[in-house]
Amino acid sequence: RLVIGINGEVAFAEYSSQDGEPPYLVAVSPTAVIKGTHIFLVTNEGTEIDGRHCLAFPVFAEVVRRFIETGERAEIVEWEDA
């Protein structure tokens, strides 16, 4: 399962098992895109996401493409516990 958030030119991605049980892994941006935190709308609520987890859109697009094609996490980013 891949939970995503998009806000203009930045996005985030959180990966978990199909049943929604832990671990929840969040993608770490390979380059700094946002300093501090950024608010994304997730399930109709504002969710504060650390800037380390804000991905530039081209990186985010590759993460999503990999997930759609394989159901697996993309290797172009590091993943850490959410």
Side-chain angles (χ1 to χ4, degrees):
R1 181 172 107 163
L2 192 68
V3 174
I4 61 171
I6 301 170
N7 190 334
E9 300 276 325
V10 296
F12 80 93
E14 181 184 277
Y15 178 86
S16 66
S17 64
Q18 282 292 91
D19 62 10
E21 292 297 315
Y24 305 107
L25 303 173
V26 64
V28 178
S29 181
T31 58
V33 177
I34 299 286
K35 291 185 180 193
T37 61
H38 193 72
I39 303 294
F40 290 90
L41 188 62
V42 180
T43 61
N44 294 323
E45 291 186 27
T47 302
E48 189 173 17
I49 301 295
D50 188 280
R52 296 181 54 226
H53 302 133
C54 293
L55 307 172
F57 206 82
V59 173
F60 169 74
E62 179 62 20
V63 167
V64 172
R65 184 194 65 75
R66 169 81 173 158
F67 180 78
I68 289 170
E69 289 179 355
T70 68
E72 299 295 325
R73 292 177 284 151
E75 297 172 358
I76 65 164
V77 295
E78 296 291 321
W79 296 86
E80 65 184 20
D81 287 333

